[in-house]
Amino acid sequence: MDCRRFIRARVKEMKKTVGDGKVISALSGGVDSSVCTVLAHRALGRKLRVIFIDDGLMRQDEPQSVKRNFAKLGIKVDILDARKDFFKALKGITDPEKKRKAFRNCFYRTLGKAIKASNAHFLLQGTIAADIIETKKGVKTQHNILEQIGIDPKKGYGFRTLEPLKTLFKPSVRAVGKALGMPREMYQRMPFPGPGLATRTMGLVTPERVEVVRQACRIVEEETSRIRLFQAFAVLLADQATGVTRDGRRSMGHTIAVRCVDSKNAITARPTQLSWSRLVRIQKRLIREIPSVTKVLYDLTPKPPSTIEYI
Ligand code: XMP
């Protein structure tokens, strides 16, 4: 793909579509929304307002580091604290698709309010080709494909969407990021799902349980940071499992599944062959740094028949 041509075409197209309108970008800090935001900023400048919805389901220190990194590119990001709303929306839900729906509804309610408050006419979204294919096939509903899940954004939420990356797969999105002059850490970032750590918390999604997953994901990411892989993360399983304390008492605790996969485009994936010593190091850190964890598992399933995330 000729990235410079792609950028020129999308910039021209966005300028024409938006005219004198205002655009809002809900930046998540992931590759897709980051590339999309930098691209739109090039086309629209001050007509673009960038917000980061803090849903409480992000990785460690994510909101602040995204804000800092975009400031370095001359793009201002406003953080919107919606943590309470998301945990309220997810309260009591254990069913995977219901979780996705609850997340999605809360996300668009929050965004709808932000759009109204800033009088924006367009919503910029980092939808890519794989999102559309997976949703069409009915594998799962991606929260970022509005029309496909039966929501008319103009009718229901009062704005239109701009999706400049929807024809691209991940490798091309990264290439566009590079061509836009973004730092490597931004366009080479690991994918992170829209519904965030809610997709990695089986069973109830509470602030306490999400904090366990957040710390577990941080450890897995730190321990695999030098390995070439597509995604590496941790999942908190729903049931408690038996452990034993140093003085021989029975204890019940959390089970963490570690998931590392190699993939080109997320449509298929294979478990990464981590060395035994690395797996043991991850296990030791999880047990030591998160005292409530009593069991650590490594997920060996490819996609298909599994998916990369757990919901
Ligand atoms: P699955 O679990 O379907 O994931 O094999 C494929 C890729 O998509 C990411 N993923 C999402 N990304 N919104 C997103 O933007 C979502 O709702 C979502 N669900 C999964 C996942 O991390 C993997 O890279």
Side-chain angles (χ1 to χ4, degrees):
M1 191 187 72
D2 182 341
C3 289
R4 293 188 187 285
R5 224 166 111 187
F6 176 88
I7 293 167
R8 271 199 307 275
R10 292 292 94 79
V11 164
K12 198 171 157 197
E13 188 182 273
M14 271 192 274
K15 276 186 176 159
K16 192 168 166 225
T17 311
V18 171
D20 288 331
K22 274 192 196 160
V23 182
I24 196 162
S25 168
L27 177 66
S28 72
V31 175
D32 306 341
S33 76
S34 296
V35 171
C36 192
T37 297
V38 175
L39 181 63
H41 186 259
R42 183 171 286 191
L44 309 167
R46 291 164 66 102
K47 279 185 252 173
L48 178 73
R49 179 177 177 224
V50 185
I51 59 163
F52 180 100
I53 297 177
D54 184 0
D55 54 18
L57 301 164
M58 299 280 172
R59 283 177 280 194
Q60 184 85 17
D61 300 329
E62 186 75 0
Q64 291 70 26
S65 75
V66 168
K67 192 177 167 88
R68 255 195 327 268
N69 291 338
F70 273 79
K72 286 182 201 154
L73 297 175
I75 302 175
K76 181 173 169 281
V77 177
D78 296 324
I79 297 176
L80 220 131
D81 184 358
R83 288 175 292 182
K84 278 199 185 119
D85 296 337
F86 279 88
F87 282 113
K88 201 169 150 199
L90 289 162
K91 198 171 176 180
I93 301 176
T94 54
D95 178 82
E97 271 301 299
K98 283 188 185 148
K99 260 183 209 172
R100 281 181 171 271
K101 284 197 180 106
F103 177 90
R104 192 178 66 220
N105 290 339
C106 190
F107 185 83
Y108 284 109
R109 249 194 335 269
T110 311
L111 195 55
K113 275 192 224 155
I115 292 171
K116 255 199 195 124
S118 63
N119 297 319
H121 311 91
F122 296 89
L123 168 68
L124 181 75
Q125 285 201 299
T127 314
I128 68 167
D131 301 335
I132 296 174
I133 292 171
E134 297 263 278
T135 305
K136 264 194 192 138
K137 281 198 304 201
V139 178
K140 55 181 81 163
T141 51
Q142 303 273 343
H143 88 275
N144 41 5
I145 315 288
L146 288 183
E147 284 90 344
Q148 288 193 21
I149 50 182
I151 296 175
D152 178 347
K154 215 175 166 190
K155 250 194 216 154
Y157 296 93
F159 51 81
R160 285 170 61 194
T161 51
L162 289 179
E163 297 175 312
L165 306 179
K166 71 179 175 188
T167 55
L168 305 185
F169 283 95
K170 200 66 122 197
S172 307
V173 177
R174 295 193 206 279
V176 169
K178 187 175 180 188
L180 282 166
M182 291 166 69
R184 189 183 153 77
E185 309 81 67
M186 267 191 188
Y187 66 77
Q188 277 301 348
R189 261 197 122 179
M190 235 191 281
F192 187 73
L197 298 174
T199 65
R200 300 173 181 177
T201 309
M202 301 299 92
L204 294 174
V205 183
T206 62
E208 297 74 27
R209 301 191 81 235
V210 168
E211 195 48 37
V212 170
V213 187
R214 191 175 353 259
Q215 294 312 318
C217 281
R218 175 182 57 79
I219 293 167
V220 172
E221 278 193 37
E222 283 171 6
E223 288 299 327
T224 54
S225 63
R226 285 159 190 260
I227 301 174
R228 272 177 77 98
L229 41 67
F230 186 76
Q231 254 174 301
F233 57 90
V235 179
L236 172 61
L237 300 190
D239 284 335
Q240 295 249 301
T242 310
V244 61
T245 61
R246 282 189 188 280
D247 54 7
R249 277 180 297 117
R250 189 181 148 97
S251 65
M252 298 302 284
H254 292 127
T255 302
I256 295 287
V258 177
R259 180 87 163 135
C260 299
V261 296
D262 301 328
S263 174
K264 278 211 170 70
N265 52 21
I267 301 286
T268 62
R270 276 191 321 218
T272 307
Q273 293 196 21
L274 293 185
S275 69
W276 186 253
S277 58
R278 191 172 302 275
L279 287 169
V280 171
R281 212 164 42 237
I282 293 172
Q283 174 273 121
K284 283 190 171 157
R285 281 195 64 188
L286 287 168
I287 296 280
R288 194 176 59 231
E289 295 175 36
I290 315 174
S292 61
V293 175
T294 49
K295 291 204 190 287
V296 175
L297 318 173
Y298 189 60
D299 186 337
L300 296 176
T301 38
K303 173 185 181 179
S306 187
T307 58
I308 295 176
E309 302 288 348
Y310 273 46
I311 74 166

